[in-house]
Amino acid sequence: MTLSTLIDRRAIDDPTGPAVADSAQSLTNADLLGRVRAAAGHLADLGIGAGDVVALKLTNRVEFVVLLFAAWRLGATVTPINPALTDAESARQLDDSSARLLVVEAGAHSIGDIATLSVADLRMEDGRGAAQPVEDPSALALLIYTSGTTGVPKGVMLDHANLDAMTSMGRDALRAGPDDRCLLILPLFHVNGIVVSVLTPLLVGASVVIADRFNPQTFFEILEKERPTFFSAVPTIYSMLAALPDDVRPDTSSVRFAVCGAAPASAELLARFEDRFGFPLVEGYGLSEATCGSTINPVDGPRKTGTVGRAFPGQELRILGADGNEVVTGEAGEVEVRGDNVMRGYLGRPEETAAVISSDGWLRTGDVGRLDDDGYLTLVGRSKEMIIRGGENIYPKEIEDVLASDPAVLEAAVIGVPDEKWGEVVVAFVQARPGATVDIDALHARCSERLSGYKRPAVIRLLDMLPKSAVGKLDKRSLRDGLVRA
């Protein structure tokens, strides 16, 4: 199976069934096929064919989904661009990906000399001349650019075989079927939004509704109106929802579960959210280089709070020590994954690709974790974020979880800063819950109760808002840079 023909099969099987909707329009399966064929014909008329790259600098909207399948129908590749990027940042991605066409929002200007199409001008009817779908599992489907928080953004090459593998794994892990309805709230320029919230539901015959920009004040109104059975979000979103006034008690009876990913969540947040809103947060773990997901807590089965679950069906997981050998159960080391979902490599970067993918297919994640006897993975931090204080290894997540357990704290971020005596010391940053007051002395006391002396923050700073990357991850580089400038 390839995704280039998925829309055709849905239209044949259930032409009048719901496919994808946003606040402006709702398409049946037959409607979606017509729009995809029309868009494919439009792209072909603009000279786009197999092997070409189409860049989409669009907000979340139905046309993004249409253009995905239109490009794949022609054998072309899509590279999503964060709409918030500057022209200079966008130009770097366009140049690195060798994009031949840029699709932008109505009224947006072109960037450089690349051919540009306004989404308002996208052909919506008349699919005459649209080529038959290209079915090539080895064809490059997506170029997802890493966030750049640890260096210059790199193009992650995901082919159709990767997407086919990941969506099949997601179907099995999420127990998704045609009766499901997914609410998309994550950005479509990120692989999580594309794979978990669009491709997987469409693969299983389910429908997708695309929400407008996330707003905690209106989110549950949308949920009650659209009646989704699942959605996927990041810990920041769940923290904001959990911080809503106590009198906010929405009808969540349609929701089977919600996925929590992209960044580690505290066990306290997961338990508090489920207790309040009545449906489980299923925490998972993955990265763009593995086409989104590698582990997840079972939807139907024992969930272990504080872990990110077990390997997806069809993937392998192992933990390696500094000597390159597997560690014993319960010991921390670098997480490696293997499966048909592992990327083809980084575009134009063979040496960096070889540094993270072994000859036998294991992907080095750069994350540090440990496995228990049942195969559940607990993350303890990024290998590059590990703090070494006086020769002792410290993983930030353990400290962040302690800080986040304070009822007044919305989120916490921990970094290491240079110190003449200790080499590095721990510095923590916290953000208060809306309407709450953070007591720094009480946080220090909490850390003294729950953490060994060398793990305790030397300084805890209160910020109005913790900096985030475009996909909602804590931007610790900005925190370090801020300390340097200060």
Side-chain angles (χ1 to χ4, degrees):
M1 187 212 64
T2 59
L3 293 168
S4 61
T5 59
L6 173 60
I7 304 307
D8 301 69
R9 293 195 297 277
R10 285 179 61 101
I12 292 171
D13 294 341
D14 186 13
T16 61
V20 60
D22 59 21
S23 59
Q25 56 196 312
S26 180
L27 303 182
T28 66
N29 289 317
D31 294 334
L32 180 56
L33 176 59
R35 292 283 297 275
V36 168
R37 285 176 56 84
H42 195 164
L43 296 182
D45 288 347
L46 293 173
I48 300 300
D52 291 328
V53 176
V54 177
L56 306 182
K57 191 174 183 180
L58 298 172
T59 57
N60 283 13
R61 54 190 301 162
V62 160
E63 287 82 3
F64 193 112
V65 178
V66 169
L67 284 160
L68 270 181
F69 287 100
W72 293 340
R73 193 176 187 88
L74 300 173
T77 305
V78 170
T79 186
I81 298 179
N82 180 355
L85 292 187
T86 65
D87 284 358
E89 292 168 324
S90 299
R92 282 196 293 271
Q93 183 170 335
L94 292 169
D95 180 65
D96 189 73
S97 65
S98 300
R100 290 198 58 196
L101 177 70
L102 170 65
V103 184
V104 297
E105 295 289 338
H109 58 269
S110 58
I111 300 173
D113 57 1
I114 186 173
T116 303
L117 172 65
S118 169
V119 72
D121 298 327
L122 181 65
R123 190 180 301 163
M124 298 176 63
E125 298 177 352
D126 187 11
R128 289 177 300 174
Q132 289 298 307
V134 174
E135 297 189 69
D136 180 5
S138 67
L140 189 60
L142 287 173
L143 268 174
I144 300 292
Y145 277 76
T146 59
S147 61
T149 56
T150 57
V152 177
K154 301 183 287 290
V156 175
M157 297 188 292
L158 303 177
D159 58 26
H160 281 274
N162 291 143
L163 295 182
D164 289 343
M166 190 70 253
T167 51
S168 295
M169 294 170 183
R171 173 197 61 204
D172 295 342
L174 300 179
R175 305 294 174 90
D179 293 331
D180 277 309
R181 181 169 176 80
C182 179
L183 179 65
L184 168 66
I185 58 177
L186 292 179
L188 279 171
F189 60 79
H190 188 257
V191 71
N192 189 315
I194 293 174
V195 172
V196 176
S197 299
V198 175
L199 299 185
T200 299
L202 292 181
L203 171 72
V204 301
S207 61
V208 176
V209 59
I210 301 172
D212 291 331
R213 185 179 180 88
F214 174 76
N215 180 341
Q217 305 302 322
T218 61
F219 174 77
F220 283 118
E221 294 177 16
I222 297 172
L223 186 142
E224 289 180 327
K225 175 186 176 184
E226 299 296 345
R227 306 294 292 168
T229 59
F230 75 94
F231 62 92
S232 180
V234 297
T236 300
I237 287 177
Y238 295 118
S239 293
M240 295 169 72
L241 294 175
L244 289 171
D246 289 340
D247 60 354
V248 177
R249 295 288 172 177
D251 177 6
T252 63
S253 58
S254 68
V255 183
R256 294 196 294 123
F257 65 90
V259 178
C260 182
S266 69
E268 185 272 340
L269 169 63
L270 299 175
R272 179 161 47 88
F273 189 98
E274 181 173 352
D275 180 66
R276 175 173 178 181
F277 295 114
F279 59 88
L281 295 188
V282 180
E283 192 173 14
Y285 158 73
L287 59 165
S288 298
E289 289 86 344
T291 321
C292 184
S294 286
T295 70
I296 193 165
N297 269 281
V299 171
D300 299 317
R303 301 191 310 276
K304 293 191 179 184
T305 303
T307 79
V308 290
R310 298 181 296 199
F312 270 79
Q315 290 190 54
E316 299 175 84
L317 190 68
R318 69 181 184 183
I319 309 294
L320 296 189
D323 60 1
N325 295 316
E326 288 194 56
V327 301
V328 298
T329 300
E331 185 176 328
E334 184 171 6
V335 180
E336 293 197 349
V337 299
R338 183 167 66 176
D340 292 338
N341 56 301
V342 171
M343 68 172 179
R344 183 189 300 181
Y346 295 121
L347 179 67
R349 299 171 183 263
E351 292 183 359
E352 292 184 58
T353 298
V356 298
I357 302 179
S358 67
S359 59
D360 54 352
W362 285 99
L363 171 68
R364 298 185 60 184
T365 68
D367 291 306
V368 178
R370 55 178 176 267
L371 291 171
D372 67 13
D373 291 332
D374 298 317
Y376 286 73
L377 174 66
T378 298
L379 295 175
V380 296
R382 292 281 296 170
S383 58
K384 292 182 179 179
E385 291 180 357
M386 185 176 71
I387 302 165
I388 304 177
R389 180 189 184 277
E392 297 281 1
N393 293 343
I394 302 170
Y395 295 105
K397 187 176 184 299
E398 181 181 6
I399 306 167
E400 291 165 353
D401 285 348
V402 170
L403 294 168
S405 68
D406 186 297
V409 173
L410 180 66
E411 286 187 286
V414 168
I415 63 173
V417 299
D419 181 80
E420 185 174 342
K421 178 180 180 180
W422 297 106
E424 284 185 299
V425 293
V426 175
V427 173
F429 301 83
V430 296
Q431 177 181 337
R433 296 187 187 281
T437 300
V438 171
D439 184 334
I440 298 297
D441 290 336
L443 287 181
H444 278 294
R446 181 178 291 261
C447 291
S448 294
E449 293 171 1
R450 305 187 185 188
L451 296 169
S452 301
Y454 70 93
K455 298 179 183 178
R456 298 169 192 164
V459 177
I460 301 176
R461 297 188 178 183
L462 176 64
L463 298 182
D464 292 337
M465 184 172 293
L466 296 180
K468 301 287 175 57
S469 71
V471 295
K473 295 182 181 181
L474 287 168
D475 185 358
K476 294 188 177 181
R477 170 178 284 188
S478 293
L479 293 174
R480 293 188 186 92
D481 290 346
L483 282 177
V484 171
R485 287 194 297 271

